[in-house]
Amino acid sequence: MLHGIPASPGIVIGKAYVVAKQAPRVEEKAIAETEVPQELKRLQHAVDRSERELQKILQLTEQKVGSQKAKIFEAQIMILADTFLFDSIRKRITKDLRSAEYVVHREISKYQQVMMNSSDEYMRERAHDVEDVKNRIIRNIQQDKLISRFDASSIVVSEILTPADTILFSRNEVLAYATDMGGITSHAALLSRSLNIPSVVGLKEITKHVQSGNIIIVDGYTGSVIIHPTEETITRCNERKAEHLQFDTRLKEIRELTAQTMDGKIVQLCCNIEFSEEALNVHAQGSNGIGLYRTEGLFMRTENYPSEEEQFIEYKTVVEKARPHKVVMRTLDIGGDKVVSNASSEENPFLGWRGIRVSLDMPEVFQSQLRAMLRASAFGEVWIMLPMISGIKEIRKAKECLEHAKNSLRNEGIVFDENIRIGAMIEVPSAAVIAGEIAEETDFLSIGTNDLIQYLLAVDRGNENVSSLYQEFHPAVIKTIRSIIIEAHRVGKTVSMCGEMAGDPIALLLLLGLGLDEFSMTPYILPEIKKIIRSISYHEAEEIANRILEMKTEDDIKDFLRVNLHTMVPELLLE
Ligand code: PEP
Ligand code: MG
């Protein structure tokens, strides 16, 4: 049994499909002389990145299986340090005017061929290392993705999944995901939750223990993976699966009811979605609408940016499916770990060109999105939400862009909701500090805890090495959430939360007690959250929140919340 991080719930027994890293395809591509500096830069980035990856694998291998086995990675790192080889690659890019990946492919293949032809077996073995390094560099140049073809009805086992891979695989009836890397709020994990695909991430070395065709059990509730389970284990897992199903059936009974506490406090429960197909969950799960529609799904599926018309069709579909409820559409939030095909690589993507920064720098892309959203607002209730806001200036600029889009539509006689609401996500610490001022400039706020926690605590949300430091219940996180709510309420604005914390049953008493108005979450958990709200009292939640504000550590806070929740709602299946 291997232990990882439970990223999407559900228990699945099935055949593994291990995603081997395929050799990347390389075509001969001529470049202009003016493109040479850019190609050399791409090469350098890819080499640096490959080295960082290999150092990490080396360290992990040393820790887990000892330094003898880790030597293979040392050898690969040494290849990257071969100045003779890389000088000649740089020279060939400059002189032959060919793309970096092509020259890397050609030059390293030559080197590899010499080794393959050697009579020395050791040399021939090393040729495989050279091949690995070559593919790694090329993949990093191309920012290539893992392959997307596999046998239907399998459990995908891989080192890592990018959000794009998660989407691609999901088209092939994937049963579950189990990956070496990744954290609970990595976008691939979020996607698997939206797609209702059980998954466990951060297993560190599952790809080493499992081979394609092996029977494995992925338990997305507890974060464990069992390889070659016995009959007895399979029976036990099936029993647990049935228990969960039973509980889910009971939840369906409260679908049509309001999310109201026993003492009368009503809150809004909304769904987070990424694809138009998911919009039907709004009714199926008994929600008050869509609190976060991540529009980048559409951008990640297409090679280039989708046209205004393509976006309009998609947004209108969502609005019509959610009607009569609202849809909070978030403007494009690419960057970070959500890379679209034509984005360039950055050293610190999470601190780089992301979210609103991209939109404001690309006015045409932004205009087409705003116009598409405005046009969709003629078909139902649409709110617009801005991601990655770090200060007032970005909001003012974005509002100017919105005005511009409105004017262009008015000139063309196209109808839209003249009173469309615009809000800001609070997910950057600077925005949290000035939440009151931001609330004054907007119609609503929505707390994005996935990013807020990573930026506040300086913990990469997708890095399994530091996942234990990624703490929802860190007192600084709680105090920040409290202050955002107080500040927004002071100027009469509502506050939603659309980060994963909003759907965490353990966090519910606290968030309710702090006065949060709306909770937007992955649809599958919504009925359970409603059940809890209907079983507790707001007054008690307030008292609990006040007690928590006095507590000093995440462990104390979590234990306190867990015990209280258990006492109030004993039938919950808390894993
Ligand atoms: C968040 O950061 O909490 C959020 C909801 O946005 P995303 O997860 O898409 O970055
Ligand atoms: Mg975010």
Side-chain angles (χ1 to χ4, degrees), residues 329-344:
M329 295 191 183
R330 182 173 72 181
T331 63
L332 186 58
D333 185 20
I334 44 170
D337 61 346
K338 290 175 284 193
V339 181
V340 285
S341 45
N342 50 0
S344 59

Side-chain angles (χ1 to χ4, degrees), residues 330 333 354 425 427 451 461:
R330 182 173 72 181
D333 185 20
R354 242 204 105 171
M425 284 197 68
E427 49 184 349
D451 279 312
R461 61 194 265 184

Side-chain angles (χ1 to χ4, degrees), residues 75 79 108-131:
I79 299 170
I108 302 189
S109 297
K110 275 191 215 159
Y111 193 60
Q112 198 183 337
Q113 204 50 48
V114 173
M115 294 171 92
M116 283 301 267
N117 292 341
S118 160
S119 54
D120 180 351
E121 199 191 324
Y122 177 80
M123 276 301 255
R124 288 203 302 275
E125 274 294 320
R126 296 283 72 78
H128 294 298
D129 289 343
V130 175
E131 163 99 17

Side-chain angles (χ1 to χ4, degrees), residues 273 275-284 287 289-290 313-327 379-380:
I273 69 158
F275 309 101
S276 54
E277 295 85 6
E278 295 172 278
L280 285 175
N281 277 322
V282 171
H283 306 289
S287 81
I290 294 170
I313 292 169
E314 187 88 350
Y315 302 161
K316 179 167 168 270
T317 309
V318 172
V319 168
E320 286 177 336
K321 282 187 181 166
R323 223 161 38 196
H325 301 293
K326 70 167 180 207
V327 179
F379 298 86

Side-chain angles (χ1 to χ4, degrees), residues 263-297:
D263 50 352
K265 165 92 175 171
I266 295 178
V267 290
Q268 302 294 302
L269 297 187
C270 294
C271 297
N272 292 351
I273 69 158
E274 177 125 17
F275 309 101
S276 54
E277 295 85 6
E278 295 172 278
L280 285 175
N281 277 322
V282 171
H283 306 289
Q285 302 293 72
S287 81
N288 302 105
I290 294 170
L292 167 63
Y293 171 26
R294 291 185 166 97
T295 58
E296 48 278 2

